[in-house]
């Protein structure tokens, strides 16, 4: 079995929980105001640490030389519900006023660096204008995804009607903060074949699950296993930034996993799960027992069934090596993309400036028709055509022809023959759940794992998250859906972790996705499955528009180009439990231009 880390030797357990200074001071005081030892749970039992026993952890922001304080505005400069980006001389902060109180935190989203001042402030949190991540204005913690880190929090004080912010220079420069985590200093008397928490899959769901367990104080053994040879990485970049090396898109460093004792077993494919004995079997025969299990194995790309599908220069983009090799083979040559999926279209857009020609073959008559609707799909198609992409619609591949063992032509059922030096298949994916057939975990007819709102399967000790699941989507009246998006995998991983710790937390989030093509982004929130009408505001020909997808008079999804932050505003309204009706759309767009959505963020419908 491969592994990122060597297998641990049995040693005595020690547990350290790193707390910020203020939290430590609170914990050290008992209700009567006297010092009290901290109590941590190690391996299911409570152990009390007296001050002389506890490992010393210095707050990195207590150095006076690292602190800066600045007057940033007059108290009357900011109204309730407003945000302002302010400069402290050595960095910027986001100043917020809500319910008469002032708050200050990092001003950039840690995910891609979006300016949060252009985001949405509602219900005690700020939602990123680009990809929808949400941050608590009191703690700076990330509450909805994508991304892994929260924001640094800064002190605010009022003196003589001036607002002052006191902040760490280091925090101002980093603009991110990793949440406090429990930590096993050493693993306790374990056989390598036993773990408390086992996570199968190293995508965002698996990683966020592991991190959440540590953030919630879990100090026992956590093992992530993956069939890949890398630590968790951002797979969404494989089609958006195809030249990226694996090391450039890692979600966390090797040092991070060592620091928080999250074991990652790479090149370790699970082939069988026995839920009765709580045992998994790996491809090499190694067996591991678990207490709680998360299945987050993602999906497997579908392949063609025609002659020539096994040729060397025919790819599904699954690994960094796949993406890198496609770019190399396509440079100054002919590339054919089969499938106008998100992956297929992103690959086509990326290769345009590198390849001699790029062709897209698609069974439908318009790209994204079922997802974005006809008008938006046509606008996207025109964008691609203006960038030299040739479409062959309403046809399929009948044969991939070779010359000297390599692909040379793609033959279509329409009779058209396309020159091709490389071919990328983007015709969808299937859930990777075949190894569960004899496990006792319920799998539906399409291969998905049905879970409840706590991400729990029919087996109480087994949870599932990410592309492999169907779950009840609250804002669609608990409709069972599969949402194979980056943001949703993060959130499901977090919810699974909380319930692996028996916290009884239900998922309640709004799906949010984005795609990038030719330097333009399409943002999307909600779940438009079954939409019966599309209301478009703006200029779709100029690619500056917002499209509202409705079903039975209610908006169920929204997509936009060059109309930020309207998708985040719609997502926030949906998250508040308020419905947007067809009759509200025009007024909603008008109010969004002024930044005011308070009229529509109340509870109920």
């Amino acid at each position: 079995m491969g592994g990122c880390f060597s297998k641990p030797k049995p040693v005595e357990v020690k547990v350290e929980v790193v707390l910020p200074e203020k939290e430590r001071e609170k914990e050290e005081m008992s209700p009567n105001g006297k010092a009290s030892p901290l109590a941590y749970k190690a391996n299911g039992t409570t152990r009390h640490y007296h001050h002389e026993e506890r490992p010393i952890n210095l707050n990195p922001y207590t150095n006076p030389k690292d602190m800066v304080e600045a007057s940033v505005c007059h108290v009357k400069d900011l109204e309730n519900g407003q945000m302002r980006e302010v400069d402290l001389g050595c960095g910027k902060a986001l100043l917020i006023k809500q319910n008469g109180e002032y708050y200050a935190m990092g001003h950039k989203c840690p995910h891609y660096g979006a300016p949060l001042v252009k985001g949405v402030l509602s219900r005690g949190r700020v939602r990123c204008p680009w990809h929808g991540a949400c941050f608590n204005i009191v703690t700076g913690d990330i509450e909805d995804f994508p991304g892994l880190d929260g924001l640094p929090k800064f002190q605010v004080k009022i003196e003589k009607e001036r607002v002052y912010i006191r902040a760490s220079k280091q925090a101002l420069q980093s603009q991110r903060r990793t949440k406090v985590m429990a930590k096993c200093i050493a693993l306790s008397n374990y056989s390598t074949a036993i773990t408390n928490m086992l996570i199968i899959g190293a995508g965002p769901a698996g990683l966020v699950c592991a991190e959440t367990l540590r953030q919630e104080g879990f100090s026992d053994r956590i093992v992530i296993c993956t069939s890949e040879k890398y630590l968790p990485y951002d797979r969404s970049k494989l089609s958006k930034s195809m030249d990226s090396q694996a090391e450039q898109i890692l979600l966390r460093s090797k040092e991070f996993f060592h620091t928080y004792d999250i074991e990652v077993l790479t090149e370790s494919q699970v082939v069988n799960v026995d839920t009765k004995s709580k045992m998994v079997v790996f491809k090499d025969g190694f067996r591991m027992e678990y207490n709680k299990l998360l299945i987050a194995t993602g999906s497997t790309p579908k392949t063609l069934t025609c002659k020539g599908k096994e040729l060397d220069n025919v790819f599904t983009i699954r690994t960094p090596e796949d993406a890198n090799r496609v770019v190399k083979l396509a440079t100054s040559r002919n590339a054919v993309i089969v499938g106008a999926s998100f992956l297929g279209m992103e690959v086509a857009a990326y290769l345009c400036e590198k390849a001699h020609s790029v062709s897209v073959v698609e069974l439908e008559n318009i790209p994204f028709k079922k997802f974005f609707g006809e008008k938006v799909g046509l606008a996207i198609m025109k964008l691609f055509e203006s960038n030299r992409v040739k479409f062959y619609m309403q046809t399929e591949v009948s044969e991939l022809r070779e010359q000297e063992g390599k692909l040379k032509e793609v033959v279509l059922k329409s009779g058209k023959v396309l020159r091709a030096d490389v071919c990328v298949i983007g015709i969808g994916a299937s859930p990777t759940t075949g190894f569960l057939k004899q496990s006792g975990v319920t799998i539906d007819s399409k291969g998905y794992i049905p879970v409840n709102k706590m991400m729990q399967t029919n087996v109480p000790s087994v949870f599932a998250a990410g592309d492999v699941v169907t779950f009840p989507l609250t804002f669609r009246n608990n409709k069972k859906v599969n949402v194979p998006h980056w943001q949703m995998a993060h959130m499901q991983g977090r919810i699974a972790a909380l319930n692996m710790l028996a916290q009884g937390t239900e998922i309640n989030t709004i799906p949010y996705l984005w795609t990038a093509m030719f330097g333009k982004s399409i943002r999307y929130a909600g779940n438009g499955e079954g939409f019966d009408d599309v209301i478009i505001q703006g200029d779709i020909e100029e690619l500056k528009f917002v499209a509202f997808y409705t079903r039975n008079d209610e908006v169920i999804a929204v997509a936009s180009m060059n109309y930020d932050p309207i998708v985040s505003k719609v997502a926030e309204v949906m998250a508040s439990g308020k419905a947007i009706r067809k009759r509200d759309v025009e007024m909603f767009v008008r109010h969004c231009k002024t930044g005011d959505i308070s009229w529509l963020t109340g509870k109920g419908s």
Side-chain angles (χ1 to χ4, degrees), residues 68-75 77 84-89 91 95 155-167:
V68 61
E69 184 174 302
S71 170
V72 294
C73 70
H74 191 276
V75 290
D77 290 343
R84 175 179 289 190
E85 199 174 89
V86 294
D87 197 333
L88 279 70
L95 179 64
Q155 297 175 23
V156 180
K157 68 177 182 179
I158 309 296
E159 282 187 5
K160 298 180 180 179
E161 297 192 320
R162 298 290 301 176
V163 180
Y164 290 81
I165 295 178
R166 177 177 166 81

Side-chain angles (χ1 to χ4, degrees), residues 416-429:
K416 183 71 176 178
V417 178
L418 307 178
R419 293 182 60 188
D421 299 291
V422 62
C423 181
V424 176
I425 312 301
I427 56 174

Side-chain angles (χ1 to χ4, degrees), residues 45 86 165 237 243 336 352 416 439 448 456 513 531 574:
T45 60
V86 294
I165 295 178
K237 290 185 178 179
D243 281 313
V336 174
C352 269
K416 183 71 176 178
S439 67
Y448 295 108
Q456 190 174 41
L513 70 93
F531 69 86
M574 289 175 168

Side-chain angles (χ1 to χ4, degrees), residues 498-548:
L498 296 176
N499 293 304
M500 290 165 86
L501 297 174
Q503 292 191 16
T505 304
E506 294 188 347
I507 190 166
N508 185 12
T509 187
I510 303 301
Y512 202 116
L513 70 93
W514 70 97
T515 183
M517 303 163 182
F518 306 110
K520 301 179 185 299
S521 291
I522 303 175
R523 317 205 194 285
Y524 180 98
N527 178 267
E529 186 177 324
F531 69 86
D532 54 28
D533 196 11
V534 185
I535 302 171
I536 295 175
Q537 298 280 302
D539 191 335
I540 198 165
E541 295 297 325
E542 295 295 321
L543 301 179
K544 184 177 175 63
F545 68 89
V546 55
F548 293 83

Side-chain angles (χ1 to χ4, degrees), residues 97-113:
K97 186 177 182 182
Q98 192 164 66
N99 299 325
E101 297 289 332
Y102 290 89
Y103 306 90
M105 60 186 188
H107 72 105
K108 287 184 177 181
C109 179
H111 182 227
Y112 275 16

Side-chain angles (χ1 to χ4, degrees), residues 208-248:
V208 171
C209 178
E211 291 197 20
T212 301
L213 290 170
R214 288 285 185 245
Q215 290 166 2
E216 294 297 311
F218 182 76
S219 56
D220 214 319
R221 190 180 184 199
I222 300 172
V223 174
I224 299 174
C225 58
T226 172
S227 58
E228 296 205 47
K229 62 181 180 180
Y230 299 113
L231 292 171
Y233 63 88
D234 189 343
R235 192 187 301 277
S236 71
K237 290 185 178 179
L238 295 185
S239 54
K240 296 179 177 74
S241 181
M242 298 179 69
D243 281 313
S244 297
Q245 303 299 306
E247 296 73 19
Q248 297 172 311

